[in-house]
């Protein structure tokens, strides 16, 4: 079976979203596509509901995999997809009915290795949108890898290159080069993208807003504590430096400090470890050689970057007090913190 598109969606504790999700998938105005819904370790009735809703469904196929995070679920989708192109979406995000038609129009010659779209970012609080912000690209084609790499730090800095839900990928590149998501619970999308970018020659960016992402600072995976989160960010940092080399060492170092700050916020806010162990974990991050090197190398092309670099230069007791305050503010005032991130 040969199709133009496969849409891969991990579903974890997503029972309340499933009916609307599947309706949106069926409402897509396109013929040659499939949807792979991959349940991975839910503790509610997601799997049972998914089976009922997709019984005898010719568009949506349901699978169940062990609970090894969204990366493992997406890898399963890659290995069972039949489409020429892949989209990776989330179960709780709105899906535009013309999304596939719009992607086709961006690269009508089908000569792209990657399409990166503009997107809308909704910050949520208690299931309500508290602030909505559009991240806007221009219509452009990078015709060779060198040109793309010269601009990749800027795309990362403006939030376009980290995530996976605003992109169209080629399945053959993923298969031929054995590109898969690491089985982490954070940063797996950043690492996946770095590994995919390595093989991109022709890349389109578009002003079309083809993704709407909903971010909940209180409950999202991005802000959730994971004992391996620092390790995953460190791996991303090293792979990004290896990919771009001298093109963007200072910029990547600044972005590393930004990611680490969110990691530290999740450590401080978690209830899984006591206060003593929180301080130990934060200290391990602060004194790590990669962090000290990044603090020295980080670019200061914005006020927020300058303040972040200064923050990591403070003696540890002052640093710890500052990030503890920041963690509290991220939880209580997510829209404010998100605005600071946008201006980074």
């Amino acid at each position: 079976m040969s199709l133009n598109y496969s849409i891969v969606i991990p579903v974890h504790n997503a029972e309340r979203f499933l009916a609307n999700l599947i309706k949106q998938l069926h409402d897509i105005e396109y013929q040659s596509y499939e949807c792979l819904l991959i349940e991975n370790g839910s503790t509610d009735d997601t799997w049972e509901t998914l089976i009922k809703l997709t019984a005898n469904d010719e568009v949506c196929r349901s699978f169940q995999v062990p609970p090894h995070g969204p990366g493992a679920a997406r890898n399963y989708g890659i290995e069972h997809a039949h489409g020429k192109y892949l989209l990776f979406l989330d179960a709780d995000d709105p899906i535009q009915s013309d999304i596939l038609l719009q992607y086709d129009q961006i690269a009508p010659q089908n000569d792209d290795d990657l399409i990166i779209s503009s997107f809308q970012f909704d910050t949520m609080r208690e299931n309500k949108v508290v602030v909505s912000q559009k991240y806007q690209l221009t219509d452009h084609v990078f015709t060779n890898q060198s040109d793309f790499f010269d601009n990749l730090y800027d795309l990362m800095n403006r939030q376009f290159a980290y995530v996976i839900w605003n992109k169209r990928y080629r399945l053959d590149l993923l298969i031929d080069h054995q590109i898969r998501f690491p089985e982490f619970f954070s940063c797996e999308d950043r690492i996946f993208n770095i590994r995919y970018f390595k093989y991109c020659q022709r890349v389109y960016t578009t002003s079309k807003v083809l993704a709407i992402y909903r971010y909940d600072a209180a409950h999202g995976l991005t802000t959730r504590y994971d004992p391996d989160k620092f390790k995953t960010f460190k791996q991303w940092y090293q792979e990004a430096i290896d990919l771009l080399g001298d093109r963007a060492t200072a910029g990547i170092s600044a972005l590393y400090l930004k990611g680490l700050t969110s990691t530290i916020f999740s450590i401080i806010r978690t209830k899984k470890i006591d206060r003593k162990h929180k301080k130990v974990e934060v200290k391990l991050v602060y004194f790590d050689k990669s962090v000290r090197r990044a603090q020295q190398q980080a670019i200061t092309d914005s006020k927020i970057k300058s303040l972040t670099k200064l923050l990591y230069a403070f003696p540890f007791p002052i640093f710890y007090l500052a990030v503890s305050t920041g963690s509290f503010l991220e939880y209580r005032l997510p829209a404010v913190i998100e605005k600071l991130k946008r201006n980074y």
Side-chain angles (χ1 to χ4, degrees), residues 5 36 44 84-85 90 142 154 194 227 233 243 290 296 306 338:
Y5 284 94
L36 290 76
D44 62 4
K84 179 179 180 179
Y85 296 108
D90 289 344
F142 298 106
D154 179 64
I194 287 293
F233 266 102
L243 183 73
S290 68
Q296 292 293 320
S306 297
E338 187 54 40

Side-chain angles (χ1 to χ4, degrees), residues 249-293:
T249 298
I252 297 298
S253 295
L255 297 176
Y256 182 43
L257 297 183
K258 177 186 178 183
L260 292 179
T261 305
S262 294
T263 299
I264 291 170
F265 285 176
S266 71
I267 294 171
I268 292 171
R269 196 161 57 243
T270 186
K271 297 179 180 179
K272 294 182 178 180
I273 55 177
D274 60 29
R275 185 175 299 179
K276 178 181 177 181
H277 286 90
K278 289 179 183 181
K279 197 165 189 177
V280 169
E281 284 201 23
V282 174
K283 186 175 286 188
L284 287 173
V285 174
Y286 176 86
F287 284 106
D288 188 88
K289 289 181 180 179
S290 68
V291 179
R292 294 296 95 211
R293 183 170 66 252

Side-chain angles (χ1 to χ4, degrees), residues 13-269:
N13 289 343
E15 179 187 2
R16 66 189 185 280
F17 302 117
L18 289 179
N20 184 56
L21 169 64
I22 292 170
K23 180 182 183 303
Q24 289 185 94
L25 294 173
H26 279 283
D27 286 345
I28 291 175
E29 299 163 357
Y30 206 81
Q31 295 297 318
S32 182
Y33 76 104
E34 64 175 353
C35 305
L36 290 76
L37 306 172
I38 303 153
E39 193 280 326
N40 56 317
S42 298
T43 55
D44 62 4
D45 291 329
T46 291
W47 178 238
E48 292 77 10
T49 304
L50 191 59
I51 291 174
K52 291 177 183 177
L53 291 174
T54 59
N56 303 314
D57 196 316
E58 295 182 358
V59 173
C60 298
R61 294 191 286 152
S62 299
F63 305 89
Q64 189 174 40
V65 298
H68 297 308
R74 294 185 186 113
N75 289 339
Y76 190 91
I78 291 170
E79 290 154 11
H80 291 79
H82 298 110
K84 179 179 180 179
Y85 296 108
L86 257 66
L87 305 186
F88 296 104
L89 304 180
D90 289 344
D92 57 342
D93 293 334
I95 301 171
Q96 300 175 50
S97 62
D98 62 348
I99 183 172
L100 303 184
L101 289 170
Q102 293 279 4
Y103 270 119
D104 278 356
Q105 291 169 9
I106 294 162
Q109 303 303 317
N110 295 325
D111 59 351
D112 59 292
D113 297 319
L114 178 69
I115 297 176
I116 306 174
S117 82
S118 303
F119 63 88
Q120 178 177 313
F121 192 100
D122 292 344
T123 302
M124 309 294 291
R125 184 73 174 178
E126 297 178 353
N127 296 318
K128 295 180 180 179
V129 177
V130 293
V131 64
S132 185
Q133 174 73 26
K134 286 187 178 179
Y135 287 71
Q136 200 71 49
L137 283 163
T138 57
D139 297 322
H140 184 76
V141 184
F142 298 106
T143 58
N144 59 75
Q145 189 177 78
S146 180
D147 189 19
F148 176 47
F149 281 8
D150 284 343
N151 290 273
L152 190 48
Y153 161 66
D154 179 64
L155 290 169
M156 289 181 181
N157 189 47
R158 293 192 291 141
Q159 309 294 317
F160 293 106
Y162 288 148
V163 297
I164 56 174
W165 32 259
N166 70 326
K167 296 177 178 63
R168 184 175 89 166
Y169 300 87
R170 277 176 44 189
L171 179 61
D172 63 334
L173 282 183
L174 296 172
I175 299 299
D176 292 348
H177 299 289
Q178 299 182 330
I179 303 166
R180 298 293 187 273
F181 290 86
E183 292 188 2
F184 300 146
F185 285 87
S186 67
C187 211
E188 79 288 344
D189 46 359
R190 297 188 186 205
I191 296 171
F192 173 84
N193 278 334
I194 287 293
R195 295 173 181 176
Y196 186 85
F197 295 158
K198 183 179 180 179
Y199 300 100
C200 291
Q201 296 292 334
R202 191 172 182 85
V203 178
Y204 286 71
T205 63
T206 177
S207 59
K208 296 176 185 287
V209 177
L210 300 183
I212 302 172
Y213 182 76
R214 290 187 167 168
Y215 165 75
D216 188 332
H219 303 292
L221 276 177
T222 306
T223 54
R224 190 176 302 171
Y225 170 73
D226 176 7
D228 292 326
K229 186 175 282 190
F230 169 53
K231 181 175 71 175
T232 65
F233 266 102
K234 186 175 178 179
Q235 182 171 330
W236 168 81
Y237 176 56
Q238 187 58 60
E239 292 193 24
I241 292 292
D242 290 345
L243 183 73
L244 296 180
D246 294 337
R247 278 184 173 94
T249 298
I252 297 298
S253 295
L255 297 176
Y256 182 43
L257 297 183
K258 177 186 178 183
L260 292 179
T261 305
S262 294
T263 299
I264 291 170
F265 285 176
S266 71
I267 294 171
I268 292 171
R269 196 161 57 243

